[in-house]
Amino acid sequence: MKKVLITGANSYIGMSVEKWLLKTPYDFQVDTLDMKNPTWKNYDFSSYDSVFHVAGIAHFSKDASKKDLYYKINTDLTEEVARVAKEQGVEQFIFMSSIIVYGDSTSKERMITRATNPSPSDFYGDSKWQAELKLNLLRDEHFKIAIIRPPMIYGKGSKGNYPKLSKLAQKVPIFPDFKNQRSMLYIGNFCEFVKQIVLTQESGIFFPQNEEYVSTSDLMEKIARCHSKKMFKTKLFNPLIKNLFFNDNIKKMFGNLTYEKEISNHYFDYQIFDFEKSIIETEKG
């Protein structure tokens, strides 16, 4: 049995992974730790095989007054928790990083390979990248560091951009037929990936994603279909979209940002939900 501690109580990712692991209770014991309470420093980490660190600020704000908070939580807290885990004999520390360490999506094709260097474009991405650098200094043969850089994660009850797109897809009868490619990751596939990383006690940098790339227009059409809504797609707005790529919202919706598929393949199978099924599970599950 693997004993896992998830830091970041009540987070969407943390709760999803906990429920997934406990589907096989004979294989896992899972506990959660609230990092907002400073008494976490008195917690006994010594009995755990793995610490899955998800505590952090997950979404970007342009409010410059919050910049220091991002580094305090996403960078400094991560390093502090990892040091405590290492000192108390935990064998594996799993860090929830993000594809955001590579910067923004672009209007042109953008394929991230294993050789692509991180280039954060904001303090959210940089706070994650700085945490990775600090963690790598703690890595040794007795303390394995697994850094996961997922693309946008979605699923029933997820936060961030996906629920906004879902609401929009259920309201608008017309949507741009604009072809782009994004890597995405369904929460079920992500949870299975974390499960396998814990079981194998692997270390390194990981790039999980769904098997299929996603076009925003196709995603919107599939969501609408789940709710028995008809959506007409048109290329009429495409020239305007291309001219508005300086806008963050346009960039997020229609930009290109993908992982090379090869770097997401592993000897274990974690892409157990195909894209069609994952949208049905998200919208109706």
Side-chain angles (χ1 to χ4, degrees), residues 108-127:
K108 297 180 180 179
E109 179 181 333
R110 188 172 183 210
M111 180 74 70
I112 295 169
T113 70
R114 196 175 294 277
T116 304
N117 292 319
S119 55
S121 57
D122 52 56
F123 53 78
Y124 167 49
D126 190 57
S127 68

Side-chain angles (χ1 to χ4, degrees), residues 149-284:
R149 296 175 181 167
M152 185 179 82
I153 294 177
Y154 65 99
K156 191 75 172 177
S158 62
K159 312 295 182 183
N161 292 326
Y162 182 90
K164 297 176 183 177
L165 292 174
S166 178
K167 288 180 181 179
L168 185 63
Q170 296 174 56
K171 293 180 179 179
V172 297
I174 301 174
F175 195 79
D177 187 9
F178 191 90
K179 296 303 179 185
N180 66 323
Q181 284 191 328
R182 301 296 293 256
S183 289
M184 292 177 63
L185 183 58
Y186 177 56
I187 186 64
N189 291 337
F190 175 77
C191 289
E192 179 62 22
F193 184 85
V194 173
K195 175 182 176 180
Q196 295 300 327
I197 290 296
V198 171
L199 287 173
T200 57
Q201 291 283 285
E202 287 204 51
S203 65
I205 301 175
F206 302 95
F207 314 87
Q209 64 176 327
N210 288 347
E211 188 173 0
E212 309 94 332
Y213 294 141
V214 180
S215 166
T216 303
S217 61
D218 291 342
L219 169 64
M220 296 292 279
E221 186 178 36
K222 282 182 170 58
I223 293 173
R225 195 184 306 145
C226 280
H227 297 277
S228 301
K229 305 284 186 180
K230 289 185 178 181
M231 178 177 288
F232 176 71
K233 297 195 295 185
T234 176
K235 298 182 184 294
L236 182 65
F237 304 109
N238 289 6
L240 179 62
I241 291 172
K242 291 179 181 179
N243 289 329
L244 290 176
F245 250 91
F246 61 87
N247 180 277
D248 286 340
N249 291 325
I250 294 295
K251 195 183 297 182
K252 287 179 181 178
M253 184 172 289
F254 297 108
N256 294 280
L257 188 62
T258 56
Y259 280 134
E260 181 183 49
K261 290 188 177 182
E262 182 183 358
I263 67 175
S264 300
N265 294 333
H266 294 274
Y267 61 87
F268 56 77
D269 182 21
Y270 70 94
Q271 296 167 330
I272 54 180
F273 294 88
D274 64 30
F275 181 61
E276 186 88 29
K277 184 177 180 180
S278 74
I279 297 301
I280 294 172
E281 289 290 326
T282 300
E283 297 299 323
K284 293 185 175 183

